[in-house]
Amino acid sequence: MRHRLTSATAALLLLCGPAAAGCGGGADPDRVGVVLPLLASPFWEAYNDEIPKQAAKAGVRILPTVNSDDQPGKQITDIDNLLAQEVKGLVVTPVDSAAIGPGLNAARRAHVPVVAVDVAPDRGKVAIVVRADNRAYGVKACRSLGDAVRRGTVVQIQGDLASTNGRDRTAGFDRCMARHYPDIKVLDVPAAWQAERAAAGLEALYSAHPGIKGIYLQAGGVYLAPTLRTLQSHHALVPVGRRGHITIVSNDGIPQELTAIREGLIDATVSQPANLYAAYAMRYIKRAMAGKPFRVGPTRHDSTIVRLPGGNLEDQLPAPLVTRANVDSRSLWGNQV
């Protein structure tokens, strides 16, 4: 009889497992769900690769990451599915800053804390946002591009304006250009983080304005390759320092951008730290699940936690400008992958 009971118990454990729902008391209290906005970018691939490493360092147990495929509706479904699995924490990068609201509200009703990464929500509450100052991205790109060009026409290939990142980078760039470089005309390509739209928009603008002197890529992860291909097709991909060079400043800090800087194909990029995003996402979700609060002010890791207009807190991690002068620095995450 004892043998039969032991066998039955073993079978039940194999069936349920420590993470299965509906088996009564078997849920792992430390499980965290991680929701990605997309994976069609070297930046998000690098972030995705860092998540399990940083989770292990922080002592956080995660489920396999979920890819929302750049679809706001799918992202809400992804969050609902993770909540149904009784996760105790969520790390989410919103596809759409407003559309994420219902997902965050569902997590709040379930008493599941959320850490937002890279993109701040317009609606809904989170424990904290792990991000860099995206307006500063636009300003750094403006200064670098403006000082090189001084006068003429430049193109800004924008991100998704439904995202705080697209809006902030555009606002920072536009205001800086209007204030400091009045002789530069800015033409916009609203590409919504899509390589195909970036290529088509740049092709149309270059054909109409062949005298373009500069380009600002709000996301090198998806815009770098189509930009270089488009310029090459017009025989306009001229190295830095040669007559006819089009100044290019990007955002992301992916290895491909660093290589392009070394080769003289682009001039600079702003390195947003994929590795630190993953590291502090894991540390902060662990802290949030333990009920520990976050406070406004300087941190011990060279950043500042600020309060956003909607009330959420945001840790603004450092994002340095990378040029030929510092492109080989080992401190850049793009040189570590």
Side-chain angles (χ1 to χ4, degrees), residues 310-334:
N312 285 320
L313 298 182
E314 176 176 286
D315 186 359
Q316 296 187 334
L317 299 175
L321 181 71
V322 183
T323 66
R324 186 170 284 187
N326 64 338
V327 69
D328 293 322
S329 171
R330 292 302 302 170
S331 66
L332 300 172
W333 73 266

Side-chain angles (χ1 to χ4, degrees), residues 84-113:
Q85 295 178 61
E86 299 182 8
V87 294
K88 300 304 179 184
L90 285 170
V91 173
V92 179
T93 298
V95 172
D96 184 302
S97 293
I100 194 65
L104 298 182
N105 292 339
R108 194 174 189 184
R109 288 192 298 270
H111 305 289
V112 173

Side-chain angles (χ1 to χ4, degrees), residues 212-263:
I212 286 170
K213 292 187 175 181
I215 304 173
Y216 169 37
L217 313 178
Q218 287 193 5
V222 286
Y223 298 159
L224 178 66
T227 295
L228 297 183
R229 283 197 301 268
T230 299
L231 294 180
Q232 190 170 37
S233 71
H234 288 277
H235 307 287
L237 190 59
V238 179
V240 175
R242 296 188 184 179
R243 185 179 179 84
H245 170 68
I246 295 175
T247 303
I248 301 174
V249 181
S250 190
N251 284 165
D252 273 350
I254 60 174
Q256 292 88 335
E257 288 172 303
L258 304 188
T259 297
I261 290 173
R262 293 185 186 100
E263 294 176 349

Side-chain angles (χ1 to χ4, degrees), residues 33-199:
V34 181
V35 183
L36 307 176
L38 55 99
L39 271 176
S41 160
F43 178 84
W44 289 112
E45 290 173 355
Y47 171 77
N48 187 46
D49 289 343
E50 281 290 323
I51 284 292
K53 301 175 189 175
Q54 299 298 339
K57 289 181 181 179
V60 174
R61 299 186 65 180
I62 59 169
L63 294 175
T65 56
V66 177
N67 176 15
S68 294
D69 292 321
D70 206 25
Q71 300 175 40
K74 183 179 183 304
Q75 188 160 73
I76 301 304
T77 301
D78 292 337
I79 291 172
D80 288 341
N81 289 340
L82 288 168
L83 292 175
Q85 295 178 61
E86 299 182 8
V87 294
K88 300 304 179 184
L90 285 170
V91 173
V92 179
T93 298
V95 172
D96 184 302
S97 293
I100 194 65
L104 298 182
N105 292 339
R108 194 174 189 184
R109 288 192 298 270
H111 305 289
V112 173
V114 180
V115 169
V117 176
D118 184 58
V119 179
D122 289 337
R123 300 175 185 172
K125 296 297 181 182
V126 296
I128 195 167
V129 182
V130 177
R131 192 171 173 243
D133 184 346
N134 277 242
R135 286 179 183 256
Y137 290 6
V139 173
K140 290 176 182 179
C142 161
R143 286 294 200 175
S144 182
L145 197 58
D147 286 348
V149 173
R150 291 295 176 183
R151 64 178 65 246
T153 301
V154 302
V155 174
Q156 175 180 210
I157 303 182
Q158 299 169 305
D160 192 342
L161 298 181
S163 157
T164 53
N165 287 5
R167 296 197 300 267
D168 284 355
R169 294 176 197 185
T170 298
F173 186 79
D174 286 351
R175 291 175 186 175
C176 171
M177 277 290 175
R179 181 176 180 180
H180 298 288
Y181 307 99
D183 294 328
I184 292 179
K185 180 181 180 180
V186 179
L187 303 176
D188 294 330
V189 175
W193 314 128
Q194 296 177 28
E196 297 80 6
R197 291 180 64 171

